[in-house]
Amino acid sequence: MKDPGVLKLMRRYLEAGLREGGVASARSEGRAQGSPLSPLLWNILLDDLDRELERRGHGFCRYAEDGNIYVQSDRTGQRVRQSITVFLEQRLKLKVNAAKSAVARPWEGKFLGYSMTWHKKAKLKIASQSRQRLAEKIRLAFRRGRGQSMQPVMERLNSVLRGWMAYFRLSEVKKVLEELDGWLRRKLRTLLWRQRKRVYRRALNRMKAGIDKDRAWKSATHGRGRWWNGGATHRNHAYPKKWFDRMGLVSLMDTHRRFQSVS
């Protein structure tokens, strides 16, 4: 690397200070987490790897330090994995993380949060690990929202859902989005059930939502738990999807449709 402008920019990133709790301090080593310098440095360092893979005629995809190499058989994959590991460790002096390196079918692995279906004409889908991480963020938002009204909880959820769906807008498999939307609405119905602790208030809210008096009282006094009630038909009737739409809750499925309509 001999470009003085790029070298100067890299130095400024590396010398940038830290700010924790409103207090600034000097940096002695490393780089800021999430800095755009990281993919730049990896692209410079791994340029020789890209050229080597092209020379061998392999199909591959790489972003920063993450990459996939595509071959036609498991046996070829094992051989390529071994030879590329030697290339990285001996030629580029890098340590390969064996725990994160594997030979697998494309639909068994993930890349940048995505995976693909097993069909002959494969489709992009959201990897199961990405779905699990979103579920954990949603659970954290609910824990932080304990004791709060529905609106601030939804606002906290919306900030997570918008960013997540913007990243995964290229997904071609919709089922996971429908399932996540349904699961999230059930959790919100469970929260509403928990907030109405008195039987009278529960029954009154059902009647206001259009449920007849007998059914409202039965649903308020049957004694079942919160999660069961969150998915019960009387809760779906009282708080359908259109109710959450009016409240401003982001729908992953609807957001995905809007992305597809403008692409």
Side-chain angles (χ1 to χ4, degrees):
M1 171 62 68
K2 298 181 180 180
D3 189 308
V6 174
L7 291 173
K8 183 178 180 180
L9 180 62
M10 290 167 59
R11 177 172 289 278
R12 292 183 67 180
Y13 269 117
L14 292 171
E15 291 179 347
L18 295 168
R19 183 178 292 275
E20 294 182 5
V23 180
S25 59
R27 182 187 301 278
S28 59
E29 62 181 359
R31 53 167 179 75
Q33 186 174 2
S35 166
L37 180 61
S38 180
L40 172 62
L41 292 176
W42 278 113
N43 284 336
I44 293 171
L45 184 60
L46 295 178
D47 184 64
D48 287 344
L49 172 62
D50 295 345
R51 295 179 184 276
E52 177 66 15
L53 293 172
E54 289 173 350
R55 185 186 67 80
R56 299 186 187 189
H58 293 314
F60 68 96
C61 185
R62 182 180 66 79
Y63 178 82
E65 74 275 26
D66 294 326
N68 284 354
I69 304 171
Y70 301 99
V71 295
Q72 294 186 350
S73 68
D74 180 78
R75 183 177 180 180
T76 304
Q78 298 292 349
R79 176 176 54 80
V80 170
R81 177 189 182 188
Q82 183 177 4
S83 63
I84 292 300
T85 299
V86 172
F87 177 86
L88 289 170
E89 293 182 344
Q90 295 186 1
R91 175 77 175 272
L92 301 183
K93 310 301 180 185
L94 296 173
K95 178 66 175 176
V96 176
N97 188 336
K100 293 185 178 181
S101 301
V103 177
R105 299 287 187 182
W107 54 85
E108 295 173 350
K110 68 179 181 68
F111 182 59
L112 302 180
Y114 282 92
S115 185
M116 59 181 65
T117 64
W118 54 268
H119 303 90
K120 185 174 183 180
K121 189 177 180 180
K123 293 182 179 181
L124 273 179
K125 69 175 185 178
I126 300 168
S128 59
Q129 297 93 325
S130 301
R131 173 178 175 169
Q132 291 167 6
R133 281 195 291 271
L134 175 64
E136 287 303 317
K137 288 182 179 180
I138 290 173
R139 292 188 183 100
L140 179 61
F142 274 97
R143 286 196 293 270
R144 290 177 175 175
R146 286 176 179 172
Q148 295 183 346
S149 63
M150 180 64 67
Q151 201 60 45
V153 174
M154 284 193 182
E155 290 174 0
R156 187 178 293 109
L157 289 169
N158 284 344
S159 64
V160 174
L161 297 172
R162 286 193 186 97
W164 192 83
M165 195 65 256
Y167 181 83
F168 287 107
R169 64 186 181 275
L170 299 177
S171 174
E172 299 172 282
V173 178
K174 301 175 183 178
K175 183 178 180 181
V176 63
L177 303 178
E178 295 174 344
E179 291 175 347
L180 284 169
D181 274 341
W183 174 75
L184 177 56
R185 288 194 294 269
R186 182 171 182 175
K187 285 189 71 67
L188 287 168
R189 293 186 190 105
T190 302
L191 177 62
L192 286 166
W193 176 268
R194 186 172 60 193
Q195 289 177 345
R196 272 68 168 179
K197 295 181 180 181
R198 299 177 66 179
V199 171
Y200 173 76
R201 294 297 302 173
R202 288 176 177 175
L204 185 61
N205 274 277
R206 303 262 175 316
M207 288 184 276
K208 286 182 178 179
I211 297 177
D212 65 81
K213 184 177 180 180
D214 288 343
R215 188 183 180 195
W217 277 103
K218 285 180 181 179
S219 67
T221 58
H222 56 58
R224 293 182 181 270
R226 294 191 299 266
W227 184 246
W228 186 92
N229 278 283
T233 55
H234 66 86
R235 300 296 285 172
N236 285 306
H237 180 85
Y239 302 104
K241 179 183 179 301
K242 61 183 179 181
W243 185 87
F244 290 102
D245 291 340
R246 289 197 301 269
M247 291 291 291
L249 178 67
V250 169
S251 165
L252 297 176
M253 195 67 220
D254 292 347
T255 305
H256 183 267
R257 289 196 189 101
R258 286 195 291 272
F259 277 125
Q260 297 302 306
S261 66
V262 298
S263 62

